[in-house]
Structure formats: C-alpha cells, structure tokens
Amino acid sequence: MTTEPQIDLSQILGHFGPYGGRFVPEALIGALEELEEAHRTSQLDPTFVAELAELHRTYTGRPSIITEAKRFAEHAGGARIILKREDLNHTGSHKINNVLGQALLTKRMGKKRIIAETGAGQHGVASATAAALMGLECVVYMGEEDTKRQALNVARMKLLGAEVVPVTSGSRTLKDAINEAMRDWVTNVETTHYLLGTVAGPHPFPTMVRDFHKIIGEETREQVLELTGRLPDVVMACVGGGSNAIGIFHRFISDPSVRLIGLEAGGDGVETGRHAATITGGTPGVLHGTRSYVLQDANGQTIESHSISAGLDYPGVGPEHAYLHDIGRAEYRAITDEQAMHAFALLCKTEGIIPAIETAHALAGALQVGNELGKDAIIVINLSGRGDKDVQTAANYFGIPLD
Amino acid sequence: MTALDELFVKVRAENRAALIAYIPAGFPSQSGCHKVIEAFIAGGVDAIEIGFPYSDPVMDGPTIQDAAVTALANGTGATEVFQALATASAHVPAVVMTYWNPIERYGVDKFAAAISANGGSGVITPDLTIEESQGWASATVSSSINPIYVVAPSTSDSRLSQVTSKCGGFVYAASLMGVTGARTTVSSGAADLVERVRKTTTLPVAVGLGVSTREQAKGVAAYADGVIVGSAFIKAMQDAPDEASGLAAVKELAIELAKGVREGR
C-alpha cells in the first residue's frame, strides 16, 4: 500500500483554513507576486540560505542560548521554566531574524528602498540596522503616540540612518503606522519593498515572516531535548501580530504532546474593552490585507486597541494564529497590564534579566500555567525581547523617579 | 441591466464620457451628505458613488481620510450608507464604494441585497481581489448588481483580462500608482491603462484618482467612458467657510466638470 503525499489545502494561496489570503488594491498584486516568487526561489537557493545562515552566525548571534530560570520558577508552581533568549540577538529581539531575511530578498529583487512600520520600535530598529548593513534606504512609520512612548528607539533608528515618520492619523499607534506604510508602498512599489514586521498582512507575508522566524523553534526543540531529555509540556509566547509566537510554535506544531499557548495583551482587562487581545476578544474579519481575528464594531470598523506594551498594541493578529486557535492546536489567553508588569518585575529581581514588556505577558502566562501544572512540568518561554527600551515606562509604572 | 449599464449606453450614444461623483456617507454630516448629493444632481453629474467610511482607508489620501474621520464621528454605518444611496439613486445611477471588511461584517449576501433594495446599481470594492471574490460574485448575481473592480497601471495584461472578466457596470481604472487625492496633472499612464483594458473587455472604462478640474476631465474624457471625481468635491466642502457656500462650490465644480466630460471628443 502506498501513501499519498499529503497536501495541506489550507496553505494554498496563502490561506490557513478560512484565514489569510490577499485583500489589497490591485496595484500591489504584482509586487506581492514578485515577493512570493523571490521567497520561494530563495528558499531553494543554497547561496541565499548560506548567506542568511552566515549572517545569523556572525551578526545576529545565533543560535540564541536557552536559560533555565530557577528562581523565577519558584513562583510558577516549581515547574521547570526555560527561557529562549531571543533578547540576546543583535538589536535586542527576535525581529532581526525576519528583517535580515527580507533585506536579502530586497536586494535579490533589485530594490533599493525599504519601508517598515513599528510599534515598540523593535522592528523599526531591526529594519534600520539591516538597511545600514546592506546599504538600503530606510523609512520607518511609527505612530506619534509610540514615538513618545519609545523615544529611545526613535533615536536609535535615526543614529542608524533611517528616517522616522511620526504618523498622526487615527489612533496614532501601530495600526495607523501600517496604514501609512501601505500608502507609501502603493505609491512607490516599483522601487520599494515593504518590510512588514509580523506574520500578518497579505500573502506571502504571514508565511514568509514565519519561515524567517521558525529557526527559533527549531533551535529550541534541540536545546530543550539536550537539556532535559524530553519535549517540553508547554511552549509559550506573547502575541501581538504573532511573529515571535509563530517562530517558536512552528517546529512544535507536529508534536501533539506539546501545548502551545499564546499570551495576548489584556490591557485593563478584556471585559473593560480596553485591551489588545484580538483572538480572546475579537471576531473574524479583514484588516491590513488578511482575514483573521480583528477587534471591530458592528459596522466592521476597527476598534482601537489598548496595551501598556506598544509592540502588542494591535487590533489584528496573524492568520495562522487564528487558524491554530480554531482547530484547537494552540490556546490563547489574555494577560492584563498589571499581570504583565508583575511578571516583568519578578524576572528582573529573580533572574537579573530585564525583559521587554511585550515578553512579560508570556512570563505572566507562565506563572499561571506553572501553577496549574505543578513541578513536573517543563515550560518553555520565548524571551522575545529585552527591556532596555521599556525602562522609562517601567520606571513610571513602578514610581521610580527619573531625573 | 442596471441603471448604471443604461447610463453608459446613453453616454456612448451621445459620444461623451459620464461624470461620476464621489461623496462619503455622513460627510460633512448626515443631512449635509444628502445636500451634497442634491448639489451633484443640480450640477449635472451622471452617476454617484457613495463611500462607506472606514477606519483604515489604506488606499485614500489625506482628503478622503479626513472626510472618513468626520463621517465616522457622525455615527455613520451601513444604515446611513444605504440612506444616502437611496437619496442618490432616486435621481441618477448610484453605487457604493467600500473597503471589503464592512461588507463581510454586514453579511455578503445581505449587503448585496440591501444595495439592490436601495436602488443601487453596484459596488466598487478596491481591496477585494478576484481570488477572494467567489462569495461576492454569486451575491451580486443574485441581487442583480454590478461588481466593479479597480485595476492599476501595474496590473499585467494577463491579470487585467482575469479581473475585467469578473467586472460588471464598468471597469475602474486607477490613473496612477498611489492613493486618492487631487493632482495637478492626470498621469499619462491612465490613457495607456485604458487602452490595455479595452483589449480585454467591451465594458465601459472609467478613470479615477487625481481628477479635479474641467481641463483634466476633458483630457480624460477623450479616451475614457467615465471620469470619477472625489477628493476635489470633498475639498470644496472642507475649504468652505460654511455649509451653504461649500454646497454652492460643489455645484459649481460639478457644472464645470460636466462641461469637461462633454468637450473631450
């Protein structure tokens, strides 16, 4: 008896079940097709693969290490807590994985200019970094509100030679930065690549960005097996658009014993309406070129999201997460600002690691799940970013005076 | 045949282009929008597009973005869009232009039926790709309305024929690569695009993006079946010191543009 090759129908044309796809002006179709083709052929091109691997080894600092957080674990029911240290990557977060891949693709397509959106500034900094490294012009769109919350990252991008454009439309946050980047792209698509920073947007972005981040899960799986001799019980990550979460989840999707848990930004609490927990509190819809869960009202208007974390403050989420949620392969929970900041402070004081506030949502989730599972459990957390950029926000939150 | 189809038969017989005017529902206010529609008709526009204001208008420049913000602050939703559509369609062929999500949220079949029930001829869906259009195609057939898609200068010839084969009413040709808004000149790419579209379909072709003056309308009318003007009307309302003078300016602009579309050939 022969086995028929398995075709995953949900992946055809960039769909994940009913989610994903392409909802864009016709003007962008050519560029999306060109990008899809460049991505497809580059993955089969040993030169491209080797060039990216070399950059990861000599520039990013991959493989990133894992750290067992024993003192933090005492607060998580005694479960073994293992941190995947994406915060130690060059530029301080997982974002560089995707950015280097897309910057190489930009050169491969013969384009000279990249544009990017950024919320917390992590993706903007990573994009500005890659542009400097590869001699590309770089414009970063950032909500005016976020340029204030993340002033340090704005300065960083400027030092790296990027132009930072504060976006004053709409809610002046990440969603509006994406709108403005898409307007730029539609106008300058001949010369410009839109270096989208998350697993959302029109096909091929959700698939391509995931492909550039899946190295996180691949490394983690090997490292955890080596350290503990078995697969973890749970893999956890924070979810805004969802790139770091897909990155660490993807290699584990085919390991049915491993629970995958995404932690969304619950803001003041999902019940207050002031949150960014798109899967927990949203409904299926179309935003920024893809069908997924969206925070929206009865007329299909996007509802503004709220989170202490600029990087999670987004009313959409990647379509693959929507699909993993619906088929029950991954779980999604909301973590409030207060819970996240508690976990933030705890990691600082128990492990000497200042995490990004985004990442602190995953840490707060681990405190819950560790207490649910008890001490035989092995929990892996994607420590997606470091918290240097959040020092001011955290100081304000905890009432630490800054002169 | 929809009223829009009949309009293009008529203007072709008159050897001229049609003037199509755009206004978002709820702008500058609910009642103000209905007055703008009256000014359009008094000024001689041939067809009206009612915009469904949307929170994330990625294809629109600052003028229409601002109008959408105003309209949403005025509480505009599907109900108000259909009311404006009914006002317009009582006089001239009228369509709705909307980003896709409001249709999906309202219900695809229900939305198409509501367009028809309010006298509308069709819907322009600038971010609905043909790959995602299956459900919408059958809804528009059931409700006997025109599905109108937008093509761009970057659209390849092979893709143009795929898109225009799904179109009804007319093909919306975006004159340039970019967002909506008045420009000092209409891109020369528009004529090329219209010519390429005509090789794929016998449907009328209307040109939008960047047209704001009688001269520009005349230029476009030389080769297109329809001239679409949006931002220039909104700007006339936004720049006016009060609603009455804004409405007068809208009517005056419509009269000028209506002359333009008759001077092209």
Side-chain angles (χ1 to χ4, degrees):
Chain A
M1 204 176 129
T2 58
T3 311
E4 292 292 318
Q6 295 290 305
I7 298 169
D8 185 354
L9 286 171
S10 69
Q11 300 271 338
I12 289 175
L13 285 172
H15 288 91
F16 304 90
Y19 303 111
R22 246 178 215 163
F23 296 84
V24 292
E26 198 61 32
L28 292 179
I29 293 292
L32 292 170
E33 286 177 347
E34 180 190 20
L35 181 60
E36 184 180 8
E37 183 63 10
H39 174 55
R40 195 185 62 77
T41 59
S42 69
Q43 298 292 90
L44 303 170
D45 177 355
T47 316
F48 182 92
V49 173
E51 193 176 356
L52 184 56
E54 175 72 3
L55 278 173
H56 279 330
R57 196 174 62 79
T58 64
Y59 192 72
T60 309
R62 301 211 74 89
S64 62
I65 60 170
I66 57 171
T67 299
E68 182 154 8
K70 290 184 181 164
R71 280 177 29 82
F72 183 81
E74 289 168 14
H75 302 265
R80 289 188 78 175
I81 303 276
I82 297 166
L83 308 175
K84 176 62 171 168
R85 299 294 304 278
E86 292 295 299
D87 63 317
L88 296 179
N89 292 341
H90 181 44
T91 72
S93 79
H94 71 289
K95 292 289 186 187
I96 191 79
N97 302 325
N98 165 51
V99 161
L100 289 175
Q102 285 198 51
L104 285 181
L105 282 182
T106 305
K107 291 211 302 186
R108 192 180 173 91
M109 292 185 292
K111 293 182 172 181
K112 303 266 188 270
R113 178 174 180 264
I114 58 171
I115 54 174
E117 82 295 339
T118 199
Q122 303 278 57
H123 176 59
V125 167
S127 297
T129 299
L133 178 68
M134 299 189 196
L136 300 166
E137 184 190 343
C138 178
V139 177
V140 179
Y141 291 94
M142 188 168 187
E144 192 185 45
E145 187 70 24
D146 292 335
T147 61
K148 291 178 194 153
R149 285 197 277 194
Q150 304 289 345
L152 189 61
N153 269 342
V154 173
R156 227 175 240 149
M157 288 182 267
K158 289 180 177 170
L159 287 171
L160 291 162
E163 181 189 348
V164 180
V165 180
V167 174
T168 56
S169 57
S171 56
R172 304 178 182 211
T173 58
L174 181 55
K175 153 181 108 71
D176 309 282
I178 294 177
N179 291 342
E180 211 53 44
M182 287 183 84
R183 291 181 189 118
D184 180 318
W185 202 30
V186 109
T187 308
N188 301 302
V189 67
E190 281 285 307
T191 59
T192 299
H193 173 59
Y194 180 13
L195 210 163
L196 186 69
T198 192
V199 287
H203 178 62
F205 284 108
T207 308
M208 179 181 68
V209 176
R210 180 251 282 153
D211 287 347
F212 287 133
H213 280 307
K214 68 183 181 188
I215 192 170
I216 303 171
E218 290 167 355
E219 289 175 3
T220 303
R221 193 172 182 278
E222 278 185 32
Q223 290 165 325
V224 171
L225 280 173
E226 192 186 314
L227 178 72
T228 69
R230 69 173 181 93
L231 288 172
D233 298 292
V234 187
V235 174
M236 309 184 77
C238 63
V239 177
S243 67
N244 92 80
I246 279 292
I248 198 163
F249 286 177
H250 198 259
R251 182 60 186 85
F252 292 99
I253 289 175
S254 54
D255 294 321
S257 69
V258 180
R259 278 172 72 188
L260 307 174
I261 305 180
L263 289 312
E264 300 192 294
D268 293 342
V270 174
E271 69 289 350
T272 66
R274 291 177 51 82
H275 64 89
T278 309
I279 293 179
T280 311
T283 47
V286 170
L287 176 64
H288 293 145
T290 191
R291 183 185 287 119
S292 185
Y293 282 80
V294 179
L295 299 180
Q296 58 180 332
D297 70 12
N299 280 302
Q301 310 292 346
T302 312
I303 296 170
E304 288 178 16
S305 55
H306 293 276
S307 170
I308 190 168
S309 147
L312 303 183
D313 201 352
Y314 180 59
V317 65
E320 193 167 3
H321 286 294
Y323 180 65
L324 291 174
H325 169 265
D326 282 14
I327 63 170
R329 181 62 192 95
E331 307 156 46
Y332 296 84
R333 298 183 181 190
I335 296 294
T336 63
D337 288 353
E338 194 182 339
Q339 291 168 325
M341 293 312 288
H342 167 71
F344 174 96
L346 191 62
L347 193 77
C348 292
K349 286 178 180 154
T350 57
E351 300 292 339
I353 298 170
I354 301 178
I357 294 177
E358 289 77 15
T359 310
H361 289 71
L363 294 163
L367 294 176
Q368 290 181 359
V369 173
N371 281 301
E372 289 162 20
L373 298 182
K375 39 175 212 254
D376 294 329
I378 298 176
I379 297 174
V380 174
I381 303 163
N382 194 6
L383 203 78
S384 54
R386 67 177 183 228
D388 306 35
K389 67 182 177 60
D390 293 317
V391 167
Q392 184 154 10
T393 305
N396 289 342
Y397 186 87
F398 294 115
I400 301 168
L402 292 172
D403 294 325
Chain B
M1 247 170 91
T2 65
L4 186 65
D5 295 323
E6 286 166 13
L7 169 68
F8 281 108
V9 172
K10 183 184 128 204
V11 297
R12 276 183 171 178
E14 294 172 7
N15 191 31
R16 68 172 178 96
L19 173 61
I20 305 167
Y22 167 93
I23 190 79
F27 174 83
S29 61
Q30 299 305 343
S31 63
C33 174
H34 291 257
K35 288 178 196 161
V36 171
I37 291 166
E38 287 160 19
F40 281 164
I41 291 156
V45 311
D46 296 300
I48 294 175
E49 276 177 30
I50 301 297
F52 195 137
Y54 178 53
S55 52
D56 296 275
V58 297
M59 278 193 66
D60 287 305
T63 304
I64 294 183
Q65 284 177 46
D66 287 352
V69 169
T70 303
L72 290 174
N74 290 335
T76 306
T79 308
E80 291 71 25
V81 170
F82 296 135
Q83 284 167 355
L85 180 68
T87 298
S89 68
H91 303 277
V92 292
V95 299
V96 164
M97 182 158 186
T98 178
Y99 290 87
W100 178 247
N101 197 48
I103 296 183
E104 192 157 303
R105 187 70 169 149
Y106 191 82
V108 170
D109 292 324
K110 212 175 124 197
F111 195 93
I115 294 289
S116 180
N118 287 284
S121 293
V123 183
I124 305 168
T125 48
D127 63 347
L128 179 64
T129 54
I130 52 171
E131 287 81 2
E132 307 288 347
S133 69
Q134 232 175 339
W136 180 240
S138 54
T140 55
V141 169
S142 304
S143 293
S144 302
I145 59 169
N146 300 133
I148 301 162
Y149 294 97
V150 182
V151 296
S154 65
T155 310
S156 67
D157 287 340
S158 63
R159 188 159 175 96
L160 270 184
S161 53
Q162 290 172 27
V163 176
T164 60
S165 72
K166 309 259 185 203
C167 269
F170 66 90
V171 178
Y172 190 128
S175 69
L176 48 77
M177 299 296 288
V179 295
T180 58
R183 310 285 203 284
T184 46
T185 57
V186 176
S187 163
S188 62
D192 298 338
L193 176 59
V194 171
E195 197 183 321
R196 291 200 296 127
V197 171
R198 290 203 194 283
K199 287 181 185 152
T200 70
T201 181
T202 55
L203 280 174
V205 189
V207 170
L209 264 58
V211 183
S212 63
T213 66
R214 175 176 172 176
E215 267 313 295
Q216 290 172 331
K218 178 184 165 185
V220 172
Y223 55 83
D225 303 292
V227 179
I228 302 166
V229 180
S231 296
F233 286 120
I234 293 166
K235 214 161 176 328
M237 290 302 295
Q238 288 168 340
D239 291 350
D242 54 64
E243 189 175 288
S245 47
L247 291 167
V250 164
K251 182 180 163 187
E252 189 53 41
L253 178 60
I255 289 169
E256 284 297 300
L257 291 165
K259 288 176 188 160
V261 298
R262 287 169 172 80
E263 295 165 345
R265 300 174 202 166

